[in-house]
Amino acid sequence: MSQSDTVKLISADGFEFIISREAAYVSNTIKSMLDEQGGFMESETNQITFPGISGAVLERLCQYCYYKVKYLHTPSTAIPEFKVHRDMALDLLMAANYLDM
Amino acid sequence: MSLGRGGRLKLDMFTHPVRKNLDHSYFDTNWALLENAIKEINNHNASRLSFEQLYRTAYQLVVDKFGHRLYAAVREAEAEYLRGVAERLDLLPSPSFLPGLKYEWERHMKSMGVIRAFLLYMERMYIPNQPQLAPLNQLGLDLWRDGVVRAPRIAPRARALLLEAVARDRGGELVDASLLKAITSMYMDLGPVVYRDDFETPFLEQTSLFYAAEAASLLQAADCPAYLAAAARRLEEERARAQAYLCPASAPRLLGAVERALIGDQLPALLDLPGTGLVPMLRARQYDDLHVLYRLAARVPGGPVLVQEALGAHLREAGKALVTDPERAKDPLAFERDVWENLVDKAFAGDRQFVYTVNRAFEAFLNLNPRSPEYISLYMDDKLRRGLKGTSEEELESALDKAILLFRFLQEKDVFERYYKQHLAKRLLQGRISSDDAGMAGKRSCLTWQPGMGTAEIKANFGGKRHELSCNTHQMVVLMLFNDSDRLTTREILAATQVPDAELRRVLQSLACVKGKNVLRKEPMSKEIGDADVFSVNDSFQSRLYKVKIGMVVAQRESDEGKEETRERVEEDRKPQIEAAIVRIMKARKQLSHNSIVSEVTRQLAVRFIPNQQVIKKRIESLIERDFMERDATDRTLYRYIA
């Protein structure tokens, strides 16, 4: 199957997020998973299930991906803050470490 | 949000089925999943695997501090797989062995890439903190090196087959260059030490042996130009070979081995090949072949020097044969200076070292004959006397140029100068000046009285017939004697005129022995002039012309007497020059040993002549007598300048 422009990310509680491939590649882990060279299941279906990440965290991660792509070439002084809610901070940090982003 | 330090967090949110029971089966159960995946990946069968699951499992093991066991298990699993690879390769028949090796290598590298991808968390978070552990890509190379390439049943076979393929390639067979390139690239990927020890060193040894044998068989044909052409072709082939399937750093070492075997070791034998070696190529003026020799010799250490030495030796010998040959020594064109210049230009690319070699050889042989300065001047004199008769201005000029080219190689330039002035003076007095003389007479003028060089016209009666005789002063003086006497002997004429003996004999010959101009009668009638021969006016002299030009019997070259005289004059001229040099040196240095003065004087005067050591010593003694310098009181070999 050829590489589509979008990928589908599915959370532990069944929420599905369809985001652009460019945004998804902000995560090095996702990028490796979808690498055609590896020939894994995910690269054929363009869909990844994360049994360890909740829908709420995954949504915020997707937003971060788009945020990162948008401001990639902006001088750091002009980038607005990416706000993280205190209750979610730890989960978000761990998931980001897992996804290498 | 780059979060690189998550290792310390307790990750309770990631629920894994087995995660909660950290009993002794925890690692084994999770590893079983990864081990199976590694097998599937090595079999190129990953599509049923979930990357996310593998990545998460490895992640969890690292987070739960099983990193060291995971790394060891991965290493063992891959090593196990490679043992199988080595066994499979061992079973392959020779023609399939190298293709098999290439195939397995490429598979292994690809699999390691995939395995590394799902172990990235370990690579990123665990391995960097363990200095004793190689990163996974390096681990893959190390395992391949130890388990396959250096396996006892693989290593010698791989090398032998590889070298055999190169040998077939050199033999002109068609070989799969891309296969060889892949195998040598594999050695390169395993690191410079493996490439050198496992491939390059034996490869270069084989190369040297191959070309030593080829050189021996080529030499059997004893054809130097053919050998050179073959060597040049081989070098070109090896250059292409290096580009086609070797590490770029190997090219100079490969070419070095080939150059050594084909050229360096054989150059002396090649130069000496009878009939086709250096000397025959020089004789036949095979410029193109010589140029190939030049280019090839330049590629081996000491090569150009060998060629230069052989060239110099030949030229000195050939030149010696010329200058010691009484006839050819007189012809400066026989030395073919222009031909040799042209040869160095064409065959040796105008290389300064070769120019120097040829010049040194010319200097050496030209000065072997002390009469060389005289001959060169005589040759030019002859050309200038003839002027433009029968030759074009260009031809005359080129002949003079060729002779002048030799002038700079004369050590005794002052001798040449002395002769040249004499010859020039004669030409001027005899009215034989040509346009070129004007330019060449630029040096300080030095005129000597030349009593025989004037011209005179005499009206004479021969038994009633009147003639006007045109002759030189000596001839006139002799003829005038017959106004007072009828008969005179040679001895009487000599006493009366005081003309030098040899000169007078030639004058008498020109007056009595030349047919049609014999205004005197000689008894007895012979060509030679004897002391007691008797001369009288030839009353029966007849000529259709009123004006008769009496020629002079020319001395082809200087008589021995004249030669010695010239030599003496040159030596006289040298004395003040040597003294001036000594004084100049002593004035600057104040005190100097005898040997230092001699060598310094020789150096300063070498542009004009090589002074004789004894003469220098005499000049020093004369200067001491005249109080220009003194001997040191204690050290007798030391001199001091007296201001």
Side-chain angles (χ1 to χ4, degrees), chain B residues 473-635:
Chain B
T473 9
H474 282 152
Q475 291 164 332
M476 174 196 77
V477 167
V478 172
L479 289 176
M480 296 293 273
L481 293 176
F482 291 91
N483 281 339
D484 304 322
S485 321
D486 291 335
R487 295 164 63 83
L488 289 164
T489 66
T490 307
R491 228 176 277 119
E492 285 164 343
I493 297 172
L494 190 61
T497 59
Q498 299 282 311
V499 172
D501 193 299
E503 171 85 7
L504 180 69
R505 284 169 203 274
R506 289 195 290 123
V507 167
L508 290 172
Q509 271 179 336
S510 67
L511 293 171
C513 304
V514 180
K515 207 177 164 203
K517 316 264 164 108
N518 50 335
V519 293
L520 292 183
R521 181 182 295 138
K522 181 172 95 73
E523 293 160 29
M525 276 183 58
S526 66
K527 287 274 174 200
E528 296 309 309
I529 308 293
D531 285 353
D533 289 359
V534 180
F535 295 88
S536 56
V537 174
N538 180 9
D539 290 333
S540 55
F541 174 77
Q542 286 192 331
S543 177
R544 284 182 285 113
L545 300 166
Y546 172 66
K547 278 192 176 181
V548 177
K549 186 168 167 31
I550 311 281
M552 184 65 186
V553 174
V554 221
Q556 248 314 306
R557 62 179 153 82
E558 247 190 328
S559 60
D560 285 350
E561 202 180 308
K563 199 176 80 190
E564 253 162 51
E565 196 187 308
T566 307
R567 197 74 224 172
E568 266 168 36
R569 280 202 194 160
V570 167
E571 290 299 336
E572 262 331 294
D573 277 357
R574 283 179 182 182
K575 283 180 188 171
Q577 293 186 51
I578 294 173
E579 285 185 358
I582 295 171
V583 171
R584 220 166 29 240
I585 293 160
M586 288 310 291
K587 198 168 181 179
R589 308 281 286 273
K590 301 304 176 207
Q591 67 172 45
L592 218 53
S593 74
H594 180 79
N595 288 344
S596 307
I597 295 187
V598 171
S599 68
E600 186 62 16
V601 167
T602 309
R603 198 183 62 75
Q604 285 199 7
L605 294 176
V607 285
R608 287 183 52 76
F609 61 91
I610 305 294
N612 182 307
Q613 292 209 14
Q614 288 306 312
V615 175
I616 298 177
K617 197 173 170 221
K618 279 200 183 123
R619 287 350 295 157
I620 291 174
E621 277 158 11
S622 162
L623 285 167
I624 290 172
E625 274 170 30
R626 285 178 281 156
D627 288 334
F628 279 97
M629 49 202 273
E630 61 182 3
R631 278 207 169 82
D632 187 271
T634 48
D635 184 353

Side-chain angles (χ1 to χ4, degrees), chain B residues 149-166:
Chain B
V149 163
R150 286 182 168 173
R153 297 186 59 84
I154 304 290
R157 216 176 154 202
R159 180 185 312 165
L161 286 169
L162 190 53
L163 296 186
E164 189 194 304
V166 175

Side-chain angles (χ1 to χ4, degrees), chain A residues 33 42 52 93-94 97-98, chain B residues 3 11 13 51-52 55 121:
Chain A
M33 285 178 183
E42 287 89 343
L93 278 172
M94 286 189 296
N97 176 41
Y98 177 77
Chain B
L3 302 168
L11 300 169
M13 65 158 279
F51 187 109
E52 202 280 338
Y55 181 86
Y121 193 81

Side-chain angles (χ1 to χ4, degrees), chain B residues 230-256:
Chain B
R233 202 162 50 237
R234 277 304 199 181
L235 278 168
E236 207 40 60
E237 279 173 28
E238 291 297 336
R239 201 197 316 275
R241 183 161 295 124
Q243 214 158 32
Y245 54 78
L246 289 185
C247 169
S250 279
R253 289 193 283 273
L254 168 64
L255 292 175

